[in-house]
Amino acid sequence: METKTTSSNNVIEALSQLEDAVRNALGSARSYLNRTFKIIEGENNAKSGGWTQFLNETDKHPSSTGTAHGILALLACGEPVNSETAVLAIRYLESCQCNDGGWTKPSLHNKCSLTRITGLSLRAFLDSKSHQSSPTIKKGIDWLINSQNTDGGWGNTAKDEQSDVTSTSFALQVLTRIIGLSQNERNGIQRGQAWLLKARNADHSWGHTTNNQGTVAQTSEAIDGLLACGHSVASLKETTLWLEQHIETGGQFSERYLIPAGPSAKESVMWTQVSKERGLITLLALNSGLTSPQVVNAVKDILSRQVTGAHWKAEAFQNSEPIWAIKEAVVALRAFLNRVENNRASVVLSEEIINLRQELGAAQKQIQELQDRETKRAWKNKIKNLWVKTPKLSAGLLIGTILLTVVYVVFRHYKHQPEYADYMVAVASFVGLGFSIYPVIRENTRGGKK
């Protein structure tokens, strides 16, 4: 019992220490995001504000991508949706919407909206509790619905027939949250879900698109989309195992796309995937244990990479402070913190159950050893009792054995009739066996026993 209590206390202490470290990281990241927020003076002194993609570039204007990431990051750090920073950021993001209803990078404004930035922006509005009936959100949803490819997936641009996992997942994560969609629009969600399932590799991972080698980041994005569509955690068990095996090897990498058509044809678009953070987010969504090595190591790794208690770097941009790296990190840490707060009791209970099972196993082993000893002792006692409880029979058997030995020696060596000696030994053996078995049978049939 002492071992069980000690182990449970160790689990509580370890979780508490990790929880404190996560809270500190989120708090310092929140302060950093507020410090790097840029307020913009509009017409009639109307204020808005946002973030740039790289927060150490003080001379750059905020962007829709940076602001969408910033809103999601700030909310994950614990900022209220009605804070001044959050309200001004939402106002700025509204002003970045293109005429067609989508969102894009500054150089492509009103030329080519991008699925991922549109999905990211709409998630920022929805997480900020913006009303779904607002003109901004309705136009954005219409753009997403009308941008779906004929194969059921979504590409980086509207109807580009180059569906990929991340774009499809971003679209599904938004559309599944919208109330009041038509039957045709709900069918579009089903088609997108079917495309994601078709794009899954034989080892239950996902790559950039169909038949591409699986990565932790893209597998994570695919799972987010499927979970949004209502897939059960149990149905994704094989993918959970794949993520647990590969999360330690997943690194950051960039995806590059060329816009296929239109006024911005052949312009390059880059998207950086952050694997460790994405893997942790999805493992937690798939109910992996809070004390599992994969989860604990991922949390510690993310905490260790926070720079000066403020931001996170990107491997490909060592001297920069990208806001998307902050967003992925704080969203992952928030997911861990939420699980700790909601499941602390069950974690401790599960640890106690593990200890009880270990104690039960040890007790069963001791019981089996005692039973084996008792079985050996019982046979020894039966033989001993046979001689103690039937002394006359025992003496008779002893005398008979001596006489038989003498007769055997006489016939074989002195009378030279060995065949008679063998006959006598055989007969004597059967008689002796009968005398030996009889008291055992008699002892065990007393009192109605059989």
Side-chain angles (χ1 to χ4, degrees):
M1 187 64 68
E2 183 179 351
T3 302
K4 179 188 72 174
T5 304
T6 302
S7 178
S8 299
N9 289 339
N10 289 341
V11 170
I12 296 173
E13 183 178 356
L15 274 179
S16 296
Q17 291 176 352
L18 210 53
E19 180 183 2
D20 290 342
V22 168
R23 289 187 188 280
N24 290 335
L26 292 176
S28 59
R30 177 180 173 183
S31 298
Y32 174 76
L33 288 168
N34 275 295
R35 289 198 309 271
T36 54
F37 181 73
K38 293 184 177 181
I39 296 178
I40 300 171
E41 294 284 350
E43 295 181 2
N44 300 322
N45 295 323
K47 291 182 180 180
S48 62
W51 291 269
T52 56
Q53 278 269 50
F54 298 99
L55 300 175
N56 55 329
E57 296 178 343
T58 56
D59 58 331
K60 292 290 183 71
H61 196 272
S63 68
S64 55
T65 310
T67 302
H69 278 300
I71 292 169
L72 293 171
L74 197 61
L75 296 179
C77 290
E79 184 86 359
V81 295
N82 59 353
S83 73
E84 182 181 15
T85 303
V87 170
L88 293 178
I90 285 293
R91 187 179 300 167
Y92 177 77
L93 195 57
E94 287 176 342
S95 70
C96 294
Q97 188 172 30
C98 298
N99 293 335
D100 63 5
W103 281 263
T104 189
K105 52 191 283 190
S107 63
L108 298 176
H109 188 71
N110 285 330
K111 296 179 182 179
C112 181
S113 293
L114 300 176
T115 304
R116 297 186 187 189
I117 300 178
T118 299
L120 196 70
S121 299
L122 287 170
R123 281 160 58 187
F125 284 112
L126 295 173
D127 285 5
S128 299
K129 310 302 180 185
S130 298
H131 203 284
Q132 292 186 10
S133 62
S134 71
T136 300
I137 294 180
K138 289 183 68 175
K139 284 181 61 178
I141 295 300
D142 288 341
W143 186 91
L144 269 186
I145 292 172
N146 295 325
S147 298
Q148 189 171 18
N149 291 325
T150 56
D151 62 6
W154 276 263
N156 203 39
T157 60
K159 294 184 181 298
D160 60 8
E161 300 305 330
Q162 298 178 12
S163 299
D164 68 80
V165 167
T166 303
S167 297
T168 301
S169 175
F170 274 36
L172 291 174
Q173 289 178 63
V174 171
L175 294 177
T176 52
R177 295 173 65 176
I178 302 303
I179 300 171
L181 294 178
S182 67
Q183 183 59 53
N184 188 52
E185 291 165 344
R186 291 197 295 272
N187 291 340
I189 292 176
Q190 294 298 320
R191 290 172 54 232
Q193 177 182 345
W195 186 90
L196 267 185
L197 291 172
K198 185 179 179 181
R200 180 169 52 186
N201 295 324
D203 63 359
H204 299 276
S205 69
W206 277 265
H208 163 58
T209 188
T210 307
N211 298 324
N212 283 178
Q213 183 178 358
T215 70
V216 171
Q218 289 153 339
T219 298
S220 169
E221 298 287 10
I223 294 302
D224 283 356
L226 291 176
L227 291 176
C229 291
H231 266 253
S232 68
V233 170
S235 69
L236 300 167
K237 180 179 180 181
E238 292 83 358
T239 300
T240 305
L241 297 175
W242 188 93
L243 280 172
E244 289 175 345
Q245 294 168 2
H246 292 84
I247 187 172
E248 295 292 341
T249 60
Q252 296 181 10
F253 61 95
S254 296
E255 302 171 350
R256 282 191 177 274
Y257 306 92
L258 293 178
I259 296 174
S264 302
K266 305 305 180 183
E267 182 164 343
S268 177
V269 178
M270 187 173 70
W271 188 270
T272 302
Q273 296 281 11
V274 186
S275 297
K276 187 65 67 71
E277 287 82 345
R278 291 298 326 160
L280 176 60
I281 291 167
T282 303
L283 283 179
L284 292 169
L286 293 172
N287 294 332
S288 290
L290 288 174
T291 57
S292 69
Q294 294 84 0
V295 169
V296 172
N297 291 340
V299 172
K300 290 181 177 179
D301 177 75
I302 295 170
L303 290 172
S304 69
R305 288 188 283 107
Q306 188 176 21
V307 181
T308 63
H311 65 278
W312 281 261
K313 286 185 178 181
E315 294 172 1
F317 308 96
Q318 284 299 314
N319 296 320
S320 64
E321 300 171 15
I323 194 166
W324 41 262
I326 300 174
K327 189 266 287 185
E328 296 288 12
V330 297
V331 168
L333 294 178
R334 171 57 62 181
F336 175 77
L337 190 60
N338 289 344
R339 277 284 306 276
V340 171
E341 292 173 347
N342 295 331
N343 303 112
R344 191 193 314 274
S346 61
V347 170
V348 176
L349 179 61
S350 64
E351 187 68 21
E352 292 181 351
I353 290 174
I354 291 172
N355 291 328
L356 286 172
R357 285 176 177 169
Q358 293 174 343
E359 292 179 5
L360 179 60
Q364 289 175 332
K365 184 178 180 180
Q366 290 180 343
I367 291 172
Q368 187 60 49
E369 291 176 350
L370 290 173
Q371 288 177 337
D372 292 342
R373 290 179 188 174
E374 286 300 317
T375 300
K376 294 178 181 179
R377 188 178 300 171
W379 279 104
K380 290 180 181 179
N381 289 338
K382 284 184 179 181
I383 296 173
K384 180 179 179 181
N385 291 338
L386 177 65
W387 291 93
V388 173
K389 292 183 178 181
T390 56
K392 293 182 179 179
L393 177 62
S394 302
L397 288 174
L398 180 61
I399 295 171
T401 301
I402 295 172
L403 291 175
L404 181 62
T405 303
V406 173
V407 172
Y408 176 80
V409 172
V410 169
F411 270 94
R412 177 171 284 277
H413 296 286
Y414 294 100
K415 297 293 185 179
H416 302 291
Q417 294 179 330
E419 66 276 8
Y420 288 106
D422 292 339
Y423 293 148
M424 291 182 65
V425 169
V427 172
S429 297
F430 280 111
V431 173
L433 180 62
F435 275 108
S436 300
I437 294 175
Y438 171 73
V440 177
I441 296 174
R442 182 181 178 186
E443 181 70 23
N444 286 295
T445 54
R446 287 178 179 175
K449 295 180 181 179
K450 294 184 180 181

